[in-house]
Amino acid sequence: SPVGKSARSNPATYLKIYDTIRDIFATTLKSRNRGYTPGTFSLNVNGGRCPVCKGLGYELIDMVFMDDIKTTCESCNGLKFQKEILEVKYKGKNIFEVLNLTVSEAMDFFVSYPNVRKPLSVLKQVGLDYLTLGQSTSSLSGGESQRIKIARELYKTNQKATLYILDEPTTGLHFREVQMLMAILHQIVETGGSVILIEHNLEVMAQSDYIIDLGPEAGIEGGKIVAQGSPIEVCKKKTHTGKYLKEFLNV
């Protein structure tokens, strides 16, 4: 399923830390004097967002038979909020500038807010510290989307006695991203969770505790258990998986 439900979804909203950030801006002296509320700094409701682009920062031009064209909103100049809202600052930055902070920068900026810093630290842990808080989730790659989902799961859920079933989670991932994914999955297991993976990736197989190999071929020629056990045990079997896993492990 998509990471975000709308074009305004971003890492800050997905991890539920934008609520805290809006609260912070709403409690500044200028906001209190002007009667601003947390909703004033929302991108999803009218109030402080640009009324023309509805907080998107751009407008779509329907080209009918061609792809739509995005043009910077002339009303807010791509800043998403009304001018008077951007006059409110926290630690020298307005809400738009905060949304343009990277995860790594935001961890330092909100160092005194554990409920913001902690979920961001999990994003950093899965290798997404370069994302900006306000980056549209629609711009994330497949690998980034999977990892941001795992990050939210790690932050929100107690992994004890929880079973996770993942279907081909390494699809589209760079080998470095696969290593990051495996590190997180190992962490889930170490904290008491269990993980079942449907996978063909040898890197994943090599790091698994137990493999159930279905075959002997693919499609209608398969569906039977042809090998099972630890990676070393599967290497000893005369199966396609056993053959290539043995070469991969060099045993």
Side-chain angles (χ1 to χ4, degrees):
S1 59
V3 172
K5 295 181 179 179
S6 75
R8 299 173 192 83
S9 296
N10 54 53
T13 57
Y14 188 72
L15 292 176
K16 305 297 184 184
I17 63 174
Y18 194 45
D19 292 343
T20 302
I21 293 173
R22 291 189 293 113
D23 288 340
I24 292 171
F25 273 90
T27 56
T28 61
L29 181 60
K30 185 166 287 188
S31 285
R32 294 201 303 269
N33 289 339
R34 294 182 177 184
Y36 293 164
T37 66
T40 306
F41 299 91
S42 173
L43 290 169
N44 291 316
V45 296
N46 293 327
R49 70 179 184 179
C50 173
V52 177
C53 66
K54 306 296 184 184
L56 290 173
Y58 61 83
E59 294 183 82
L60 281 178
I61 299 177
D62 186 357
M63 300 300 289
V64 187
F65 299 112
M66 298 172 64
D67 291 338
D68 293 344
I69 294 178
K70 292 182 180 180
T71 61
T72 301
C73 176
E74 294 183 359
S75 178
C76 67
N77 201 29
L79 300 181
K80 301 181 181 181
F81 293 91
Q82 298 175 43
K83 183 179 179 181
E84 56 270 25
I85 305 303
L86 297 176
E87 293 172 355
V88 178
K89 295 188 177 183
Y90 170 72
K91 292 173 66 172
K93 293 187 182 296
N94 61 37
I95 188 68
F96 178 77
E97 291 169 331
V98 166
L99 288 175
N100 275 299
L101 292 175
T102 65
V103 168
S104 184
E105 292 169 341
M107 286 178 64
D108 293 332
F109 190 77
F110 292 107
V111 66
S112 57
Y113 289 89
N115 54 342
V116 175
R117 183 179 170 84
K118 185 178 178 181
L120 292 178
S121 69
V122 182
L123 274 187
K124 184 175 182 179
Q125 188 179 349
V126 297
L128 295 177
D129 54 328
Y130 57 87
L131 295 182
T132 61
L133 298 187
Q135 181 173 335
S136 173
T137 52
S138 63
S139 69
L140 300 177
S141 69
E144 290 170 335
S145 296
Q146 292 218 45
R147 280 183 284 149
I148 199 172
K149 288 181 182 180
I150 292 173
R152 188 169 79 164
E153 187 68 19
L154 282 173
Y155 169 63
K156 293 184 64 178
T157 308
N158 180 2
Q159 287 86 45
K160 282 189 176 181
T162 302
L163 173 64
Y164 297 90
I165 302 175
L166 305 179
D167 185 7
E168 304 280 2
T170 65
T171 300
L173 297 191
H174 185 270
F175 74 89
R176 180 174 173 271
E177 293 178 318
V178 172
Q179 293 169 356
M180 288 181 174
L181 172 66
M182 293 308 297
I184 294 299
L185 296 183
H186 284 310
Q187 180 182 328
I188 289 176
V189 173
E190 288 166 5
T191 54
S194 298
V195 180
I196 294 177
L197 298 170
I198 301 169
E199 260 299 346
H200 294 82
N201 189 295
L202 291 171
E203 179 78 25
V204 174
M205 293 184 205
Q207 296 187 51
S208 299
D209 295 321
Y210 198 88
I211 297 174
I212 300 174
D213 185 14
L214 295 177
E217 299 295 336
I220 60 173
E221 300 297 324
K224 297 178 180 178
I225 297 177
V226 294
Q228 57 185 316
S230 68
I232 296 299
E233 290 172 328
V234 172
C235 285
K236 299 175 183 177
K237 304 296 183 179
K238 302 293 183 180
T239 65
H240 294 307
T241 300
K243 173 187 174 183
Y244 290 105
L245 188 58
K246 182 176 182 179
E247 293 177 3
F248 183 82
L249 293 173
N250 193 26
V251 295

